[in-house]
Amino acid sequence: MIQVKGYAAQSVSSVLTPFSFQRREVGPKDILIDLEYCGICHSDIHQARNDWGESIFPMVPGHEIVGRVTKVGAEVSQFKVGDVAGVGCFVDSCRTCPNCKENEEQYCEGHRVGTYNSVEKDGKTPTYGGYSNQIVVDEDYSLKISSKLSLDKIAPLLCAGITTYSPLRHWKVGKGDRVGVLGLGGLGHMAVKLAVAMGAEVTVLSHSPQKEKDARRLGANHFISTENIEISHVFSNHFDLILDTVSAPHDLNRYLKTVKKDGTMVLLGAPPESTQISAFSLILKRRNLAGSLIGGIKETQEMLDFCAEKNIGSDVEVISAKDINTAYERTLKGDVRYRFVIDCKTF
Ligand code: NAP
Ligand code: ZN
Ligand code: ZN
C-alpha cells in the first residue's frame, strides 16, 4: 500500500484536519500522480456537511485534481512518468451500460465510482479525493493536461470547467446565442469564459452587485444585479440558455420567465432543498427546464484541449492545506475570486 497525507472531515460537524491513509499499489492499468493542486468545489462543502445526505466519513474531499505522473503500471499506454495528469469527479464506472458506452460515464447506470465519498468497485473500499499529496487512478479515468497554462489555473477545469462546458455543447451554443449565467462563483465564472469563447452574448445574473466589474473583465456583455428587481421586466423572453449555478435555494420561476420560446434553463447548482415550479413558467413559451452533471472523460478531454487552445484557465486564490477551513467559510459567504485551489505540496 502507498502511505498518503491529506486532510479529512471526520464527521459532519467537524472541521477538516490532517489525515494519513493508504492508497492501493499501482496496478497494471494505474498511474500514480504526485498532486500539485486541488480546487475547492462547493460540492466538497455540501458533502463534507452532509447536505445531500449520503456522506461517508472520514471524508477526504477534492475532485479538481492535477499533478505529475511518477509511476505507471505495466499495461499503461496513454501516460508516462513526468506527464501532467488530471482527475475529475469519478475514477471508474461500470464501462458496459449504454451511457458508459456513449462516453457519458457521469450518467453510468451501474456503479460509478466517485473520486471521494464513494466506494471502489469491490463495494467496500472507500475512495479518498484530492485534498492529499498522491493519488492512484486507472489511466482510462485520467486526463491529459497541457502544461501551457499554470497548473493551479487548470485544476478547477476538472469540475467547474467541464460542468459548464458540457451543457454549452449539449445545447449547441454558438455565435450570437444569448446565454445567461446565474451566480458568479466557481462554476459561474468558468461558464462566462467558455460561453464567451464559443461566441455567445453573455449576461451575468448575480445577487452580488460588487461583481459587475469582474463579470465584464471575464467577458460578459451584460450584468444584472438580481436583488430587488423584477428580472423579467429587464429581460423578457430573451435567453436561449440559462446556466443556473447557484448553490443555495432560490426561486426558479423568476428566471424561467426570461427564457425565450423553446429556450432552456439548466440546473447545475445543487441546493439540498427542493423548489416549486409554476406550470405557467414553462407552458406559456414551451420552455424547457433541465439538469446536467459534470461530463464524461472524452468530453472532459475535449474541454481541456479547448481551454489550452483558447488559453482559458480559472481565476484562482492558491492556499495552503491549513487554510482549507477558512476557505470553506469564505466560499459559503461568496468571498472568493473565483476558486480556492490548494497547493498539494503543503499536505
Ligand atoms: P460557488 O463558487 O460557491 O458559487 C455559487 C454562487 O451562487 C455564488 O458565487 C453566488 O453567486 C451564488 N449564490 C450563493 N448563495 C446564494 C444565495 N443565497 N442567493 C443567491 N445566489 C447565491 O459554488 P460552485 O463551486 O460554483 O458550485 C455551485 C453549485 O453547483 C453547488 O451547489 C455545487 O454543488 C454545484 N455543482 C454541480 C455540479 C454538477 O455537475 N451539476 C458540479 C459542480 C458543482 P453571486 O454572488 O454572483 O450571486
Ligand atoms: Zn465539483
Ligand atoms: Zn455504466
Side-chain angles (χ1 to χ4, degrees):
M1 300 293 269
I2 298 170
Q3 199 62 37
V4 177
K5 286 188 292 183
Y7 261 53
Q10 295 293 340
S11 76
V12 61
S13 55
S14 62
V15 295
L16 279 78
T17 49
F19 179 61
S20 289
F21 59 100
Q22 294 184 321
R23 298 202 189 268
R24 66 171 182 265
E25 284 296 340
V26 176
K29 287 281 286 169
D30 287 336
I31 60 174
L32 174 65
I33 310 173
D34 272 12
L35 300 190
E36 301 248 352
Y37 296 101
C38 181
I40 294 182
C41 176
H42 205 116
S43 300
D44 299 346
I45 304 176
H46 285 309
Q47 292 182 90
R49 306 205 166 173
N50 199 25
D51 284 350
W52 299 334
E54 292 174 359
S55 296
I56 305 168
F57 296 99
M59 182 190 299
V60 178
H63 57 211
E64 293 185 335
I65 302 168
V66 289
R68 279 186 198 275
V69 177
T70 49
K71 195 171 176 185
V72 299
E75 291 167 23
V76 167
S77 59
Q78 303 164 65
F79 292 88
K80 58 181 188 327
V81 170
D83 284 353
V84 182
V87 183
C89 297
F90 54 91
V91 289
D92 209 338
S93 66
C94 86
R95 306 180 188 220
T96 55
C97 75
N99 297 340
C100 281
K101 291 243 185 261
E102 285 171 10
N103 299 308
E104 293 195 311
E105 305 89 355
Q106 75 274 31
Y107 302 120
C108 176
E109 293 171 11
H111 182 172
R112 175 168 57 88
V113 181
T115 305
Y116 68 88
N117 197 26
S118 181
V119 287
E120 297 282 4
K121 279 177 143 180
D122 65 7
K124 56 177 193 230
T125 308
T127 56
Y128 294 123
Y131 295 9
S132 60
N133 63 347
Q134 286 184 310
I135 196 166
V136 179
V137 190
D138 187 307
E139 67 163 339
D140 293 341
Y141 291 78
S142 310
L143 286 308
K144 289 181 171 299
I145 307 271
S146 148
S147 40
K148 208 168 120 189
L149 274 171
S150 56
L151 297 186
D152 53 340
K153 296 179 174 52
I154 291 179
L157 302 182
L158 275 304
C159 177
I162 183 59
T163 301
T164 48
Y165 181 90
S166 185
L168 290 168
R169 286 294 192 223
H170 183 78
W171 277 277
K172 300 189 170 40
V173 164
K175 201 163 172 41
D177 285 340
R178 290 169 173 170
V179 172
V181 175
L182 180 53
L184 193 64
L187 264 57
H189 92 291
M190 288 311 309
V192 173
K193 291 188 187 204
L194 291 167
V196 167
M198 292 174 194
E201 182 189 315
V202 178
T203 301
V204 170
L205 305 158
S206 166
H207 84 314
S208 308
Q210 70 278 16
K211 291 183 182 171
E212 174 162 5
K213 206 169 149 216
D214 283 345
R216 293 190 188 278
R217 175 180 54 76
L218 294 165
N221 306 85
H222 316 282
F223 179 93
I224 299 294
S225 175
T226 55
E227 297 288 275
N228 309 319
I229 62 153
E230 185 45 68
I231 306 143
S232 59
H233 291 170
V234 186
F235 286 121
S236 175
N237 304 310
H238 178 82
F239 293 110
D240 295 284
L241 187 74
I242 292 184
L243 299 185
D244 179 346
T245 75
V246 175
S247 52
H250 55 290
D251 179 10
L252 302 185
N253 301 291
R254 285 184 82 197
Y255 304 99
L256 276 167
K257 286 185 203 156
T258 68
V259 173
K260 74 181 202 194
K261 179 171 77 69
D262 289 325
T264 302
M265 176 155 153
V266 187
L267 304 184
L268 301 176
E273 300 81 1
S274 52
T275 183
Q276 287 208 322
I277 304 288
S278 158
F280 290 105
S281 300
L282 299 174
I283 61 182
L284 289 179
K285 293 287 181 298
R286 200 167 54 198
R287 298 179 179 111
N288 305 287
L289 178 62
S292 183
L293 178 70
I294 39 176
I297 294 293
K298 183 163 180 259
E299 192 172 48
T300 305
Q301 190 63 61
E302 180 190 304
M303 176 274 309
L304 288 165
D305 297 344
F306 178 85
C307 288
E309 184 199 320
K310 307 265 183 194
N311 220 12
I312 295 173
S314 172
D315 287 20
V316 298
E317 290 188 43
V318 177
I319 60 162
S320 299
K322 65 176 174 38
D323 298 323
I324 291 172
N325 296 301
T326 313
Y328 273 27
E329 293 308 322
R330 283 185 53 196
T331 302
L332 286 167
K333 282 192 241 148
D335 176 22
V336 48
R337 300 292 183 270
Y338 276 90
R339 198 56 135 190
F340 285 114
V341 169
I342 308 162
D343 177 351
C344 295
K345 303 288 178 213
T346 61
F347 283 112

